[in-house]
Amino acid sequence: MMGTTHQTDTLIVGGGVIGCAIAYELAKAGVDVIVLEKETLGSQSTRAGAGMLGAQVEMTAPGPMYELGVKSRALFPKLREELLDISGIDMELHTPGIFRIAVDEDDRAALLERQRWQTECGQRAVWFEDEDLRGEMGDLVSPRYGALYLPDDHQVRNPQLLLALAASAKRLGVRIFEHTPMMGFLQEHGAVAGVKTADGVIRADRVIVAAGAWSGLLARQLGLDLPVFPVKGQSFLLDSYSPPTPFTIYTHGCYILPKKNGQVYVGATEEQQAGFDRRPNLRSLASLSTQAVELLPSLGDLPFSTPLAGLRPGSRDGMPYLGSVPGIDGLYVASGHFRNGVLLSAITGLVMAELLTGKETSVDLEAFSLKRAHVFG
Ligand SMILES: Cc1cc2nc3c(=O)[nH]c(=O)nc-3n(C[C@H](O)[C@H](O)[C@H](O)COP(=O)(O)OP(=O)(O)OC[C@H]3O[C@@H](n4cnc5c(N)ncnc54)[C@H](O)[C@@H]3O)c2cc1C
C-alpha cells in the first residue's frame, strides 16, 4: 500500500499552458492547488506552438468556439500586466495583427465571406487587394488573390507565457511537481479522490485532467471515452535581429510569425497519423521551408535556430472539453484545445476557476460540456 505524500483541494494533471492557466486562476481565488507534470512544464504542445491569438484567423464560422476565442483574446492585455507584476516575466504580447493571404479564387471568396460575418459580429477585418498589399509591404510578400487583415489577432511567445503563468501560480502558493507522471486515479466510493504517482498517493477533493494529447489515454483508466487524441504539428524558428515584417503572414499550410525577441517562427504541419511520435522530420520541415520562402523570399537568408514538433490535443469537433464529468464525482477535464490552446488558455483558466469555486461562469459552457464524452464502464 502506497503512503499519502500530499493532500490538496485541487490537483491538476498536466503542466502545459492549460494546466498552468487554471492553476494560476485557482490560486488567485485562494484555492490550494498541486500541478503534476510528467516531464518539464510546457515541454509538449505548448513549447511547439506558434503563439497566435487567432480568434479571427482560425475561425471559419460564427458560433460558440468563435465567441470563446474572441473573449479569451480580450483577456490577454490585462493578464499580461498581472503576470508581469507578480512574476516579472513578460509574455511578449505582439500586436501588429495578421494578414491572411488568399491562395486562389475560392479562398478569396471564403475570406471575403469571413470578412462579412466577422464585421457583422463587431470585429475589425479589412480587405486588401494585391496593390494595397504591395503598398503596405513592397515586394516582401508575393501577392496572390488579396488578403484579409485582422488587426486585433495578436500573438505571444509561448515559452514566456508559460513561464509567467507558472511563476505567478507558484508565487500564489501552487505546488508544482515536475518529472512526476500521474500513474492512476485514486477512487473512493465511486468518486475520484486523488491520483497515484511513483512516489505515493496525492489525495485531492477534485482532479482536473489537463494532460493535452494524453488526456484521452488517462480518461480511459476510469472508463471514460474522451475523444482527445494527438495531432502532430511541426514548425521551426529562424534567428533574426530584425524580422522582415512586424506582421504575421498566414496562408494555407504555412504561417510566419515575427517574434518580439527578433526570431521568426514558421509553422506548421498538421498530421493525424503520426500517433505519439513527437520528433521533427526532414520531409515536413523541407516542405514548410519551401512554402515559407515562396511566401516571404527574404526568409531564405536567415539562419536556422530550432526545429519544433508537438502533439496538439485534437478533438472530434475541434472544440475543447471544459467542465465536470457527469457520472464521475470529483473529476474535471480541460483538454482538446487542438490548434487554439494558447489563445484559449486565458478563458479556460478563468472559467475553470469560476466553475470550481461555485461562481457563474463568464461563458456558457454547454457547447464544451463533457456530455460529448461517454462513460463506458
Ligand atoms: C506546431 C503547433 C503550432 C501551434 N500554434 C498555435 C497557435 O498559434 N495558437 C494557439 O492558440 N495554439 C497553437 N497550437 C496549439 C497549442 O499549442 C495547444 O492547443 C496547447 O499547447 C495545448 O496545451 P495543453 O496544456 O492542453 O497541452 P500540452 O502543452 O501538451 O501540455 C500537457 C502536459 O500534460 C503532461 N502530461 C501528460 N500526461 C501526464 C501524466 N500522466 N502525468 C503528468 N503530466 C502529464 C504533458 O507532459 C504535457 O506537458 C499549436 C500547436 C502546435 C503543435
Side-chain angles (χ1 to χ4, degrees):
M1 175 78 184
M2 289 173 168
T4 298
T5 54
H6 297 280
Q7 177 128 21
T8 185
D9 181 301
T10 303
L11 184 134
I12 300 173
V13 183
V17 72
I18 296 300
C20 289
I22 300 169
Y24 168 68
E25 291 292 343
L26 279 173
K28 237 172 74 178
V31 178
D32 186 63
V33 179
I34 289 179
V35 176
L36 278 194
E37 167 52 49
K38 71 179 165 68
E39 297 186 23
T40 54
L41 289 179
S43 56
Q44 303 305 315
S45 190
T46 296
R47 175 171 174 268
M52 260 178 292
L53 307 180
Q56 291 176 250
V57 81
E58 282 282 329
M59 309 298 166
T60 52
M65 186 65 177
Y66 164 72
E67 282 158 27
L68 193 72
V70 167
K71 280 213 164 112
S72 196
R73 186 184 64 184
L75 297 173
F76 274 84
K78 183 165 167 283
L79 182 63
R80 172 188 175 262
E81 296 303 319
E82 262 179 40
L83 299 178
L84 186 60
D85 240 27
I86 301 174
S87 67
I89 299 169
D90 187 359
M91 64 170 78
E92 299 182 18
L93 184 67
H94 199 33
T95 60
I98 297 182
F99 277 95
R100 169 61 170 85
I101 313 274
V103 292
D104 56 27
E105 285 296 350
D106 287 350
D107 196 27
R108 173 189 169 91
L111 286 173
L112 282 165
E113 169 56 14
R114 199 189 302 191
Q115 179 195 24
R116 187 197 59 74
W117 69 257
Q118 291 193 347
T119 310
E120 267 176 30
C121 291
Q123 298 302 314
R124 294 196 294 167
V126 184
W127 187 257
F128 274 59
E129 294 298 350
D130 287 343
E131 52 272 25
D132 306 325
L133 202 58
R134 266 198 217 93
E136 184 68 46
M137 298 197 191
D139 289 335
L140 210 54
V141 175
S142 327
R144 294 171 182 204
Y145 294 84
L148 187 59
Y149 176 49
L150 305 166
D152 301 313
D153 267 358
H154 304 318
Q155 53 139 316
V156 296
R157 198 142 75 83
N158 295 7
Q160 293 297 110
L161 170 63
L162 193 282
L163 273 179
L165 284 168
S168 302
K170 243 177 155 170
R171 268 280 165 86
L172 299 178
V174 172
R175 288 170 283 167
I176 297 176
F177 302 136
E178 295 183 285
H179 305 290
T180 311
M182 183 213 106
M183 293 164 67
F185 291 93
L186 180 68
Q187 282 181 276
E188 281 173 5
H189 315 297
V192 169
V195 302
K196 298 169 196 165
T197 74
D199 302 326
V201 158
I202 304 180
R203 299 190 69 84
D205 296 340
R206 290 91 61 96
V207 173
I208 305 176
V209 175
W214 292 266
S215 300
L217 289 181
L218 298 188
R220 288 192 83 80
Q221 297 182 16
L222 289 169
L224 176 67
D225 179 15
L226 175 69
V228 174
F229 46 83
V231 182
K232 185 174 180 180
Q234 301 188 51
S235 54
F236 58 84
L237 281 165
L238 300 171
D239 279 333
S240 160
Y241 293 107
S242 159
T245 169
F247 300 107
T248 294
I249 311 292
Y250 185 126
T251 192
H252 261 305
C254 179
Y255 47 73
I256 297 162
L257 283 84
K259 291 284 165 185
K260 249 192 165 173
N261 72 343
Q263 287 188 309
V264 178
Y265 178 102
V266 177
T269 65
E270 196 175 302
E271 303 159 53
Q272 295 272 3
Q273 309 304 333
F276 285 90
D277 175 3
R278 355 177 206 130
R279 292 166 299 175
N281 63 52
L282 187 58
R283 189 186 309 282
S284 298
L285 295 185
S287 144
L288 211 50
S289 311
T290 306
Q291 290 180 68
V293 172
E294 255 171 38
L295 194 59
L296 212 68
S298 61
L299 289 189
D301 297 323
L302 295 180
F304 261 106
S305 167
T306 321
L308 296 164
L311 304 176
R312 302 178 185 93
S315 69
R316 276 195 208 121
D317 52 14
M319 303 209 294
Y321 291 87
L322 303 173
S324 58
V325 179
I328 309 181
D329 284 349
L331 185 67
Y332 293 75
V333 173
S335 193
H337 294 74
F338 189 34
R339 294 175 59 94
N340 291 296
V342 176
L343 165 68
L344 298 177
S345 59
I347 195 81
T348 298
L350 183 67
V351 295
M352 291 302 289
E354 288 169 341
L355 194 67
L356 272 89
T357 53
K359 293 201 181 112
E360 195 187 330
T361 52
S362 303
V363 173
D364 180 358
L365 294 181
E366 184 61 23
F368 309 102
S369 109
L370 269 291
K371 288 181 203 150
R372 288 142 67 226
H374 169 65
V375 180
F376 57 77

